[in-house]
Amino acid sequence: MPFQEAVIAGTDFTARVAPSGKYAFTLELEGRPRLRTGRVGCATFSELSALPKSFRRHASSDGLSASVESRSVIPFGCEYEVRREIELWDGCGTLTVDVAAVNHGAVGDLSLGEVSFPGPWTQLEFLLWGETEFRSVALTGEEQEFHHSPEIPVMIRLSDGAGCVVEFAVGSDLWRHRAGFRTPGAAGEFTLAGNAEEVRFTRQILRYEPETEPEKRPWRFSNLIAWRSGRDADAEPAGERVDLAAAKLPDSGCRVPVKGGGVAGLPCLASPAGRKFIRNLVRRASGNLVLTGAAPELCLDAAHLGRAGKGELEHFDLEDYFAFYLWGNHQLAGRRDFFTMLPAPECRFAGSAAVRNLGRAPRTLLPAEE
């Protein structure tokens, strides 16, 4: 029996995960596709030719989140295996893909497939590693190329002027997305192009020179998504308030290189101290819990990723904020309490859909379709 499309739906969205076909994932808002992710490419082979091997939907018992796990094999070359895990909750999600050559080979030229944002849109914003502010473009009907370089946009944001916002970002493995800068004999290339009707983001992680032999290793890439519909509104959450910035966590500061030499010192939740602080905070909570001073940021400290010997590895701890928000709410849901996070004034992502969604109590998903 062939695998069927899996659906995850909430108050204002429907997500479709397909075991095969052009799009691996589609996010619909108000019945209209707003974000789609394509299929990976390995060497000269595409995931479009892969054979699905497993495909499972899971849902949390409290109804706050659901996920889909899939595995497929490209039956050519080194028989490349592609695994995906897509986890969604109210307004946010993580998309993870693993790629490996399972038949004694190596993953050669590697692309993560096109991400498309069907419109109409009025504005595009994106942030590049090393820059302090988002670049902003007013979208028109004219086709444009907004970005084309070896540097990846850390976050992309589309808005339609009527309250609908969709964001796509890298996670704690930003350093893997930038593998083209640190892999001898290879380079990466990222393109952001389109118009008001559709914006497209292509991701060529590695393209090797003809004489270069690729390293034999598996790859994992995580991306974050967030969205808000025109009906979303922010409300001040009630509960016990604890300020993250006042905690002064040891060895947890973000070191962020920016043009001009600026460096931020905000707490990084990817660090061991940040993780321990949040876990203890949630476990001691006796009611609703509100973390103030939240400040997702880009960071270089490899020790935060358990790789101190590497010195510097670029990461974005927004993925850790996502994980702790979801984990904390799973922990408190049995008591009908919730865990929210409010941004610090200096957080440059404070106005993003992702961070705004962390500041509201989660809503349960709709029951799975039979």
Side-chain angles (χ1 to χ4, degrees), residues 23 34-38 114-118 198-201:
Y23 302 114
R34 287 299 201 172
L35 185 153
R36 290 173 169 146
T37 63
E114 182 180 87
V115 182
S116 59
F117 304 87
E198 183 179 58
V199 172
R200 301 173 303 279
F201 178 40

Side-chain angles (χ1 to χ4, degrees), residues 235-237 241-244 290-296 321 340-345 355-356 358-360:
E236 192 72 10
R241 297 195 167 217
V242 178
D243 187 63
L244 176 62
V290 181
L291 180 72
T292 62
Y321 276 87
T340 56
M341 303 176 173
L342 298 179
V355 174
R356 290 173 67 189
L358 296 177
R360 70 186 186 195

Side-chain angles (χ1 to χ4, degrees), residues 74-149:
I74 302 173
F76 306 107
C78 300
E79 296 187 357
Y80 304 98
E81 181 181 72
V82 181
R83 291 177 179 264
R84 296 180 184 278
E85 181 176 5
I86 295 171
E87 184 172 32
L88 303 177
W89 57 99
D90 181 33
C92 297
T94 59
L95 315 179
T96 304
V97 60
D98 291 90
V99 184
V102 297
N103 192 17
H104 307 291
V107 177
D109 291 358
L110 175 61
S111 66
L112 294 184
E114 182 180 87
V115 182
S116 59
F117 304 87
W121 303 108
T122 59
Q123 186 178 41
L124 162 69
E125 300 168 273
F126 59 98
L127 178 69
L128 297 179
W129 171 261
E131 297 189 355
T132 58
E133 297 181 354
F134 281 78
R135 299 185 184 187
S136 181
V137 181
L139 297 174
T140 67
E142 180 183 355
E143 181 75 13
Q144 300 180 65
E145 185 174 83
F146 313 109
H147 174 74
H148 184 185
S149 86

Side-chain angles (χ1 to χ4, degrees), residues 229-241:
S229 70
R231 299 192 302 270
D232 280 333
D234 295 313
E236 192 72 10
E240 176 191 1
R241 297 195 167 217

Side-chain angles (χ1 to χ4, degrees), residues 20 27 31 40 53 94 155 157 196 247 279 283 288 311 342 353:
S20 59
L27 174 70
V40 304
K53 298 297 184 181
T94 59
M155 177 180 278
R157 178 183 304 131
R279 289 192 187 102
R283 287 166 179 158
N288 294 339
L342 298 179

